[in-house]
Amino acid sequence: MKKITFKRTLLSSALLVASFQASADAGDHLLNSDTLFTGLINDTSFMKDTGFEVGMWASAGITGNTNGGSNSPANGNSPIGFNDRVNEVLFNELNFYVERAVNKDGSQWDVGGRFDFMYGSDARFTQASGWDDSWWVNQAGGYYNIAMPQLYMEIFAPIGNGITAKLGHFYTTIGYEVVPAPDNFFYSHAYTMLYGEPFTHTGAMFSYDVNDNWSLNGGAVVGWDNMTENAGAWSFLGGTSWTSTDQASSVTVQLISGDISDTEASNRTMYSIVATHDFTDQFHYVLQHDFGTQIQAASVGQNAGNWFGINQYFVYDVMDEVSVGLRAEWFNDKGGAQRVNAVGANYLAASFGVNYTPLPWLKIRPELRLDWADEQVFKNNTGNSQVEFAMDMIVTF
């Protein structure tokens, strides 16, 4: 009852605020501001003088598929994660953050950082071992939880072109898709992101802009989605990125390699290459390739094997308020390294979606998705395919 009330409150609040647009005083702000109210806070003299910024977003959606949600558990959408329930509204994310971005343009030392706190059905996917995974677990079998996916400090040192150090707990630099809902085109996620990449890290990262086109980063982290477990097992995380002078093209290469267990050999190594290109101001393209390999490590439940993914994204901006997109993916885990639904398989998936932004602080994302695998991984491991329709709404407060 508490979860239902909370979701109804969110939707009712969005409708109520939208109705206020008729008022002369509030209408102009609501129609033109990127946020409902945090922009007003960030415009205060205190926030501008100190460099702090606050923000919040909420996302909720619903999914249906041709298998009727008969996967275990009941109403499951496995092996798709995040929007992993069908035929019910999911309150995916309520995320609040406080940030002070470091000034990288000056010649002075600067200190900043960021704190994120998330509630919702996405939170349990974002938790780190030995950190927020032990704060609160719904013992009644529910799927709503809390997470603190980011808590870090940043230091800018005016050495050469400037070195930035990030220390703490932060989102990964691997891959293209991310956990925060507003930063993705599609409601659902690619298998490559769900099963082949980390979400968060704990450690230290350093970045350096060589020039206007090239940048480097690198550091040491405690494995994947981890805070304190196997704290003696460190991994290297880093790579390079290139951006064209006209900003129309970019290539980013990131690699993570290291042991997962601090009691046995357990190396896990993967790289991700993300290339982007704007054919026109309206037509955008992304190509992503991931490859990973790991050895058997019983102490951490790690299977031996390889996996790789090839993803393509095509997005066309029809107008300022409407964009259409296509995602095509091949995810290969035939060796069973990640064992999606306990089965090693090849996955092909295609998603067609629309981003509709009727107001700067409101985005609606309908999506049609087709999934196929060469093993029976759908419908309680009895089917090879499914068709899915999903839609969510993101409100930026």
Side-chain angles (χ1 to χ4, degrees):
M1 179 63 69
K2 187 175 181 181
K3 293 182 294 186
I4 295 174
T5 302
F6 191 73
K7 289 183 285 188
R8 288 175 177 171
T9 301
L10 169 72
L11 298 175
S12 299
S13 299
L15 292 174
L16 180 62
V17 172
S19 70
F20 287 163
Q21 294 172 28
S23 72
D25 294 335
D28 185 64
H29 172 76
L30 293 176
L31 288 171
N32 297 288
S33 175
D34 290 337
T35 63
L36 285 173
F37 62 82
T38 55
L40 298 175
I41 299 173
N42 294 325
D43 283 340
T44 62
S45 58
F46 172 80
M47 299 297 280
K48 289 184 175 181
D49 291 343
T50 59
F52 280 95
E53 177 182 293
V54 298
M56 185 166 65
W57 71 79
S59 65
I62 189 168
T63 301
N65 67 33
T66 52
N67 288 325
S70 58
N71 295 289
S72 180
N75 296 328
N77 194 32
S78 180
I80 297 172
F82 284 76
N83 63 319
D84 62 332
R85 312 286 296 183
V86 299
N87 305 327
E88 64 176 290
V89 175
L90 278 181
F91 183 57
N92 296 100
E93 297 179 6
L94 177 63
N95 193 102
F96 170 78
Y97 70 86
V98 180
E99 181 180 30
R100 187 186 187 280
V102 295
N103 181 9
K104 301 180 181 180
D105 296 327
S107 59
Q108 303 294 323
W109 288 72
D110 199 19
V111 178
R114 176 158 172 153
F115 154 78
D116 279 77
F117 184 84
M118 180 188 294
Y119 168 82
S121 60
D122 287 0
R124 71 189 192 279
F125 295 101
T126 315
Q127 293 172 330
S129 301
W131 177 234
D132 41 11
D133 68 332
S134 60
W135 290 353
W136 170 52
V137 177
N138 193 325
Q139 299 296 334
Y143 35 89
Y144 285 85
N145 219 307
I146 58 176
M148 189 182 291
Q150 295 200 112
L151 180 62
Y152 64 81
M153 177 177 67
E154 273 193 311
I155 302 173
F156 175 77
I159 301 173
N161 292 332
I163 298 174
T164 303
K166 181 182 290 187
L167 311 171
H169 187 58
F170 43 83
Y171 281 125
T172 187
T173 57
I174 296 284
Y176 177 69
E177 295 186 15
V178 293
V179 171
D183 298 332
N184 296 301
F185 186 89
F186 294 96
Y187 179 27
S188 75
H189 284 288
Y191 291 107
T192 307
M193 181 266 197
L194 291 172
Y195 295 102
E197 301 173 355
F199 294 158
T200 63
H201 304 288
T202 304
M205 283 287 291
F206 302 87
S207 60
Y208 182 78
D209 293 332
V210 179
N211 51 41
D212 292 338
N213 303 102
W214 289 91
S215 64
L216 304 171
N217 69 334
V221 296
V222 190
W224 296 33
D225 308 314
N226 185 35
M227 174 68 84
T228 61
E229 293 187 4
N230 294 286
W234 288 82
S235 297
F236 167 80
L237 172 66
T240 185
S241 66
W242 168 84
T243 304
S244 63
T245 302
D246 62 2
Q247 305 291 306
S249 304
S250 69
V251 179
T252 299
V253 180
Q254 293 288 284
L255 177 139
I256 182 169
S257 180
D259 284 340
I260 303 301
S261 169
D262 55 9
T263 61
E264 66 173 322
S266 53
N267 182 268
R268 174 190 279 173
T269 297
M270 74 154 297
Y271 67 78
S272 178
I273 302 172
V274 178
T276 70
H277 181 67
D278 295 334
F279 288 103
T280 68
D281 291 340
Q282 291 78 37
F283 185 31
H284 317 287
Y285 174 71
V286 178
L287 173 65
Q288 176 185 355
H289 165 57
D290 286 7
F291 176 81
T293 183
Q294 62 190 28
I295 65 174
Q296 181 80 27
S299 65
V300 290
Q302 180 171 287
N303 300 304
N306 306 325
W307 68 93
F308 69 82
I310 299 175
N311 299 352
Q312 296 186 82
Y313 302 78
F314 304 84
V315 175
Y316 186 79
D317 301 324
V318 180
M319 58 184 71
D320 290 343
E321 298 82 11
V322 179
S323 298
V324 295
L326 173 67
R327 177 181 63 202
E329 177 186 18
W330 173 24
F331 180 66
N332 183 305
D333 185 40
K334 195 63 176 178
Q338 303 307 93
R339 291 193 180 277
V340 181
N341 265 13
V343 177
N346 275 295
Y347 296 82
L348 297 177
S351 292
F352 174 78
V354 177
N355 279 196
Y356 174 47
T357 310
L359 293 166
W361 47 264
L362 174 63
K363 181 179 291 185
I364 300 170
R365 302 187 297 181
E367 175 186 347
L368 177 66
R369 173 169 173 155
L370 294 81
D371 289 88
W372 178 87
D374 62 357
E375 301 286 348
Q376 294 183 331
V377 297
F378 303 100
K379 198 177 181 180
N380 288 332
N381 293 87
T382 62
N384 292 84
S385 64
Q386 71 177 21
V387 179
E388 170 189 300
F389 178 78
M391 183 172 67
D392 76 333
M393 176 183 73
I394 304 171
V395 177
T396 306
F397 294 97

